[in-house]
Amino acid sequence: MTHDIRNIVILTGAGISAESGLATFRGPDGLWEGHRVEDVCTPEALARDPVLVHRFYDERRAKLADVQPNAAHEALAALDASWGDDLLIVTQNVDDLHERAGARRLIHMHGELRSALCVACGKAVSWGDPLPPGSSCTGCAAPRLRPDIVFFGEMPYRMDRIYAALEQADLFVSIGTSGAVYPAAGFVQTARHAGAHTIELNLDPSAGSALFDESRLGPATLLVPDLVRTLLS
Ligand code: OAD
């Protein structure tokens, strides 16, 4: 790392949760838990077959009970605790492993499995149980709750806050993401433009690997604690 670091933005993807036992999206067969992404992760899929889409996310939500944060989530939580408000962790993941490890400065840009979104009033409510189509909003009572997942074609959450942090970043770190999905895949360019040092930590080179100043290849449970140790030393 080449210069003094104060403001840090960390982007995480499915690879950080892989060693906890959660499947990544783009496995060798191109399927996510046996489904094509467009069959479970688009507004059209939800309109066409709400039972299938709701059940798919019910299964993913239930699976959270079987998994634990790993050393990579824990290292980022330790960084969060020590670094203060100049850190922002942005995750594309809809699991809750970052917060269960203790991270607090966290944005779920693609939504959360443990949240339900009311299509009628726009309220997001905490949700731990199965969510059948027609479930009622605890705010407005309309029977229109859906999984609080940002589907393809929908706007990710809190982009203003994320871009504001990227514009200030001295260091941008991308962990366990294939770089296939925008806008997250473009964050490295925004951070570079702002003068940040950029590091990728991933098992394989991502689609945007060449855009990073450094690309470190290996499992997140080794690479992330290493990086955090360096930052905190
Ligand atoms: P992907 O499944 O596309 O990519 C996961 C990346 O993690 C790959 O580049 C793997 O090489 C890497 N990886 C796997 N195991 C790892 C490990 N143990 N340590 C480090 N890296 C590892 O997942 P994302 O990039 O997160 O969107 O996918 C982005 C978005 O596409 C998701 O948020 C989701 C999906 O459609 C929505 O649900 C809206």
Side-chain angles (χ1 to χ4, degrees):
M1 282 169 264
T2 53
H3 53 275
D4 288 343
I5 291 166
R6 193 164 66 93
N7 294 301
I8 303 178
V9 178
I10 294 179
L11 172 70
T12 69
I16 198 167
S17 297
E19 291 164 86
S20 290
L22 294 177
T24 57
F25 292 90
R26 293 170 184 78
D29 55 5
L31 300 178
W32 182 25
E33 299 281 2
H35 293 269
R36 295 187 313 155
V37 162
E38 53 271 37
D39 290 339
V40 291
C41 200
T42 60
E44 295 75 20
L46 182 63
R48 190 173 55 238
D49 195 344
V51 171
L52 170 79
V53 173
H54 278 245
R55 194 172 54 221
F56 178 78
Y57 291 101
D58 283 349
E59 287 166 6
R60 307 279 77 72
R61 189 180 311 107
K63 173 91 175 142
L64 295 180
D66 304 333
V67 298
Q68 300 297 328
N70 64 45
H73 300 103
E74 279 158 13
L76 291 186
L79 183 65
D80 181 321
S82 300
W83 205 265
D85 289 333
D86 297 327
L87 173 79
L88 180 65
I89 302 169
V90 180
T91 188
Q92 299 169 88
N93 298 344
V94 294
D95 67 53
D96 60 354
L97 295 179
H98 281 303
E99 50 269 50
R100 277 163 59 192
R104 290 184 296 121
R105 295 168 181 86
L106 174 70
I107 290 177
H108 277 279
M109 65 177 288
H110 287 167
E112 295 175 60
L113 286 168
R114 287 186 180 275
S115 173
L117 179 68
C118 178
V119 176
C121 74
K123 187 176 152 83
V125 294
S126 175
W127 202 271
D129 297 326
L131 179 73
S135 298
S136 293
C137 176
T138 53
C140 74
R144 302 198 53 200
L145 287 179
R146 59 165 262 190
D148 190 5
I149 304 293
V150 176
F151 291 146
F152 281 94
E154 297 178 333
M155 181 60 81
Y157 291 138
R158 305 198 52 199
M159 294 307 293
D160 288 355
R161 169 77 183 95
I162 295 169
Y163 279 115
L166 289 167
E167 299 290 350
Q168 298 293 316
D170 304 309
L171 175 67
F172 173 74
V173 185
S174 170
I175 303 169
T177 173
S178 61
V181 176
Y182 282 81
F187 289 172
V188 58
Q189 281 154 303
T190 307
R192 272 182 83 112
H193 193 251
H197 186 69
T198 57
I199 305 179
E200 158 174 88
L201 309 179
N202 213 42
L203 205 53
D204 316 293
S206 69
S209 208
L211 297 169
F212 288 83
D213 295 311
E214 290 181 50
S215 182
R216 303 181 189 172
L217 301 184
T221 53
L222 291 181
L223 297 182
V224 180
D226 265 4
L227 178 72
V228 168
R229 262 192 299 276
T230 308
L231 287 169
L232 292 180
S233 65

